[in-house]
Amino acid sequence: MTKLEKANQYQEKHRVSKREKPVFHVTSPTGWMNDPNGFSVYQGKVHLFYQYHPYSDEWGPMHWGHAVSDDFVKWEELPPALAPDTDYDGGGCFSGSAIETDEGQALVYTGVQETESEDGIKKNFQNQCLAIGDGVHYEKVRENPVVPAALLPEEYSREDFRDPKIWKEKETYYLVAGSKDAKNDGQAVLFASEDLRHWQYLSVLADNRGKYGKMWECPDFFALCGKHILTVSPMNMQADGKEFHNGNQSIAMIGEYDRQNYHLLEEQVVSLDYGLDFYAPQTLQTEDGRRIMIAWMQSWDMNIKPEEQKWNGMMTIPRELELKDDILYQNPVKELEYYRTEPVFYKKKEISATCSLPEIHGRVLDLTVELVSGDYEKFSIIFAKNETYETRFQYLKSAETIAFDRTRCGLTKDVVCRREMKIRKAGTTLKLRLLLDKFSVELFVNDGVQTFTSTFYTPLDAKDVILECDGTAVVNIEKYKITLDRARREDEI
Ligand code: FRU
C-alpha cells in the first residue's frame, strides 16, 4: 500500500464525527491541520488543501489534506492529495499552492529532503516540487524538484526556502517563495517559468526591512483595487506598540509593483489580524473577480485544544478583501449569508449594567452589535458563558481600544489570554460583527477595517451571550444562527 493510500484508509476509518467539530469552519477529517494550501478554483469548484498529519493530533510528517466546495461554506472532504513518499519530499510535503492548467490542476509545494552526514548530523533541505492531477488524484512529475534551492543566489538559505505561491500572467507562470538572506532576515523570492518544469530566478520581491521578522513563511502576491499586496507570515517578529505582536504573525505589504525590477515598492505595512490565532493566509480570485483569503486559525506558540479532543486545527472563514482609501477591508464571504437562519433584530436598544437578551445565545452565531450612541466608558460583549466560563471583547471608548480576554474560557495552560487593539479610524459609532462557531470567534470591526480572530475550547454548554455596559449604550443588534443543513434554494444564491 502506498503512503497516500494508507493515509486515506486511516482517514476513512478514524474520521471524527461532525458533531464534535465547528459547523462552518474547515477542519481535517482526523488528526492535525495547519496552513491552507492550494486554495484555488479548478473546473468551477473551490479547492482547499492543507498541511495535514492524519495519524495524530500533533504536527508530524506533512501530507496535503483536501476539501472542495461550491460556495466557501459547505465543504466536502476528499482523499489526501499528497504524501511524503519520495527522496526529495520524504521529510514532508510542506505548504504550497495550486493553479488550473491545460494539463490539469497543478500543485506546487515544498519538498523537504532529509539528509544525514557521515558524522550523524541531520539536515533538511527545501526545494519546490510539482504534482499534476484531475482534482482528486495527483502525480508528482519526474522533473522534481522543479525549483531547486540551487537556483537561488548562493548566500540565501537552502534549508529555509518554502511555501511557493503560483500565478500566471499572459503566458508566463510566476512563483513567490519564502526565503532567508545571509543575515537570516526574511524575504520573498520570485521565479518565472513558461512550462512549470523549468524555472528561472528573478529577484527578491520584498524583504523584512530589518524589522518584519526572520524567516518569511507562506507569501502570497496579488493585485487589488489598483495596488499590489504581498501577504507574508514572518517568524520571530517583535511587537511594535499595538500594531504587531511578538512571535509568528501575518502582515500585508501594500504598494506598487515595479515590474522592470520585479520589486514591490511598499507604501504601508499592516497587521492582517489582531487576534491570537491567525496565520499563513492564502488567497484566490473567484470567477466573479473577488479576492478571497483564508488562514489557519491557530498559533504555533499556543496549542490549547483539550487533550481528549481528537482533531486539532481549523481554518478561518474565507474573507473577501477590498482596498478602499488605503485600508484593507476583510469581510466574511457573502455566501455565508445564505446559511443564516432565525434572525433577531433590536433597534436603538438601551443597554445598561449586565443585560441578556431573549433569543441571543448559542455557540454558532453571526452577531452584529452596532454602538450608535450613549453615555458610557466601557462596553463588553461576553460569550461562551455560564457560571464557570466566559470570553469577552471589551471596548474602551476614550482609549479607542478593543481588548479580548479568554482567561476564563476553560484553559489549563499558561498561555496568552489577553490582547488589545487600537481601533483604526475610530468614529462616533462602532460596529462589531462576531462570527462564533463553537470554538472560535472572528471579530470584524467597522465593516472589516480590522479583524480579531481567536480560539477558545470552552465546554459547549457555556452558551450565554451577555452585553455589559458601565453607563448606558444605545445599540442596534442583528443576530442569526448559522445552519448548514438548510435546504438549498437556487434562487437565493
Ligand atoms: C507555516 C509553516 C510553513 C511550512 C509548514 C509546515 O505554518 O511552517 O512554512 O511549509 O508550516 O507544516
Side-chain angles (χ1 to χ4, degrees):
M1 197 187 317
T2 65
K3 279 198 171 177
L4 201 56
E5 285 162 359
K6 191 173 153 229
N8 190 34
Q9 218 175 64
Y10 189 90
Q11 163 173 314
E12 289 306 311
K13 194 157 167 218
H14 298 273
R15 191 180 296 273
V16 179
S17 131
K18 284 216 157 69
R19 278 197 314 278
E20 296 172 39
K21 303 261 204 87
V23 170
F24 58 99
H25 286 80
V26 180
T27 54
S28 53
T30 64
W32 164 276
M33 150 198 280
N34 58 284
D35 315 353
N37 294 157
F39 186 45
S40 59
V41 178
Y42 178 65
Q43 293 184 340
K45 273 196 179 284
V46 181
H47 286 249
L48 175 69
F49 304 81
Y50 48 85
Q51 291 286 279
Y52 184 30
H53 184 233
Y55 305 114
S56 84
D57 59 4
E58 286 177 9
W59 190 88
M62 279 292 111
H63 296 59
W64 273 35
H66 191 186
V68 288
S69 175
D70 289 319
D71 62 8
F72 297 101
V73 182
K74 216 170 179 167
W75 294 88
E76 180 195 344
E77 290 171 350
L78 291 184
L82 298 174
D85 55 8
T86 70
D87 60 339
Y88 55 81
D89 67 12
C93 298
F94 276 18
S95 286
S97 53
I99 192 167
E100 182 155 4
T101 74
D102 294 341
E103 294 178 83
Q105 190 179 29
L107 312 183
V108 283
Y109 69 98
T110 302
V112 179
Q113 186 168 22
E114 291 178 316
T115 64
E116 189 169 341
S117 66
E118 276 169 18
D119 40 15
I121 296 180
K122 290 190 178 148
K123 268 194 172 181
N124 284 342
F125 291 95
Q126 302 187 334
N127 301 292
Q128 315 321 319
C129 303
L130 173 68
I132 303 211
D134 61 3
V136 180
H137 303 289
Y138 299 86
E139 289 280 340
K140 296 174 184 174
V141 302
R142 64 182 163 74
E143 293 88 344
N144 273 337
V146 292
V147 195
L151 292 180
L152 288 167
E154 221 169 293
E155 64 275 24
Y156 301 163
S157 170
R158 267 62 182 151
E159 288 161 72
D160 285 299
F161 171 43
R162 58 180 175 270
D163 311 336
K165 170 70 195 235
I166 191 168
W167 72 95
K168 196 175 184 187
E169 288 177 30
K170 300 207 177 93
E171 290 312 304
T172 305
Y173 292 102
Y174 292 91
L175 174 159
V176 61
S179 161
K180 241 167 47 177
D181 70 9
K183 292 190 299 199
N184 276 341
D185 282 342
Q187 57 184 9
V189 286
L190 193 63
F191 294 82
S193 169
E194 302 300 314
D195 65 358
L196 296 169
R197 271 116 179 131
H198 303 90
W199 291 83
Q200 182 199 348
Y201 170 77
L202 293 179
S203 68
V204 171
L205 178 64
D207 65 39
N208 83 342
R209 301 288 185 269
K211 59 178 176 176
Y212 302 113
K214 290 297 173 185
M215 175 61 191
W216 275 10
E217 300 191 307
C218 303
D220 194 350
F221 188 55
F222 50 89
L224 189 72
C225 312
K227 297 274 176 196
H228 266 81
I229 300 187
L230 175 71
T231 60
V232 70
S233 296
M235 299 171 73
N236 309 103
M237 232 174 102
Q238 272 181 22
D240 176 7
K242 288 192 178 61
E243 187 54 30
F244 303 108
H245 59 83
N246 295 328
N248 289 30
Q249 63 208 282
S250 303
I251 61 175
M253 291 186 147
I254 305 171
E256 297 287 339
Y257 184 26
D258 168 3
R259 285 173 189 276
Q260 299 291 304
N261 299 301
Y262 299 111
H263 194 70
L264 176 69
L265 305 167
E266 107 255 352
E267 292 160 1
Q268 54 161 330
V269 181
V270 293
S271 300
L272 273 171
D273 193 278
Y274 292 79
L276 306 178
D277 296 287
F278 181 98
Y279 198 60
Q282 200 172 76
T283 71
L284 61 69
Q285 190 161 26
T286 57
E287 276 156 12
D288 61 9
R290 288 175 294 156
R291 179 61 58 177
I292 314 282
M293 178 176 76
I294 191 167
W296 180 38
M297 193 155 57
Q298 192 153 308
S299 140
W300 278 117
D301 287 334
M302 290 179 282
N303 185 2
I304 62 160
K305 70 120 185 125
E307 259 168 52
E308 59 282 8
Q309 184 183 296
K310 294 211 175 49
W311 56 276
N312 196 349
M314 304 176 258
M315 294 295 164
T316 62
I317 186 78
R319 303 171 180 181
E320 300 184 3
L321 300 183
E322 269 179 296
L323 193 64
K324 284 184 286 196
D325 301 329
D326 285 336
I327 292 198
L328 182 59
Y329 287 80
Q330 295 175 44
N331 280 295
V333 277
K334 67 171 191 277
E335 286 84 347
L336 185 66
E337 289 166 26
Y338 173 76
Y339 295 98
R340 289 162 153 184
T341 56
E342 301 173 25
V344 178
F345 299 99
Y346 287 90
K347 276 266 170 238
K348 301 245 167 87
K349 172 86 188 153
E350 286 197 355
I351 307 289
S352 49
T354 299
C355 176
S356 81
L357 296 168
E359 294 165 20
I360 301 201
H361 55 82
R363 288 282 285 269
V364 186
L365 294 181
D366 184 348
L367 170 69
T368 301
V369 179
E370 189 180 9
L371 294 129
V372 284
S373 61
D375 184 13
Y376 63 93
E377 188 49 40
K378 294 182 193 156
F379 183 92
S380 297
I381 305 179
I382 308 166
F383 46 92
K385 178 173 173 59
N386 63 10
E387 279 163 14
T388 317
Y389 304 114
E390 66 165 56
T391 294
R392 70 166 69 204
F393 283 110
Q394 183 172 61
Y395 167 49
L396 287 185
K397 204 192 219 175
S398 41
E400 298 180 342
T401 57
I402 296 174
F404 174 75
D405 191 351
R406 66 176 180 190
T407 311
R408 292 183 54 208
C409 75
L411 269 164
T412 54
K413 287 185 182 157
D414 185 14
V415 295
V416 178
C417 285
R418 272 182 60 83
R419 187 165 288 159
E420 222 173 68
M421 73 177 180
K422 181 88 184 157
I423 299 171
R424 198 169 174 190
K425 272 192 32 175
T428 47
T429 66
L430 176 69
K431 196 165 168 191
L432 303 172
R433 179 174 177 194
L434 279 74
L435 291 187
L436 280 181
D437 191 2
K438 292 188 184 173
F439 311 110
S440 66
V441 63
E442 290 168 87
L443 170 69
F444 297 83
V445 182
N446 288 334
D447 296 308
V449 175
Q450 281 160 303
T451 64
F452 191 113
T453 301
S454 287
T455 59
F456 50 89
Y457 292 91
T458 312
L460 290 175
D461 51 1
K463 51 180 176 220
D464 293 347
V465 176
I466 303 278
L467 303 179
E468 201 178 82
C469 185
D470 64 351
T472 302
V474 181
V475 304
N476 295 329
I477 298 177
E478 188 175 335
K479 175 247 143 185
Y480 305 87
K481 203 176 154 186
I482 302 285
T483 317
L484 289 203
D485 47 17
R486 225 185 125 192
R488 187 177 211 108
R489 285 200 1 234
E490 292 307 326
D491 58 341
E492 273 183 290
I493 288 275

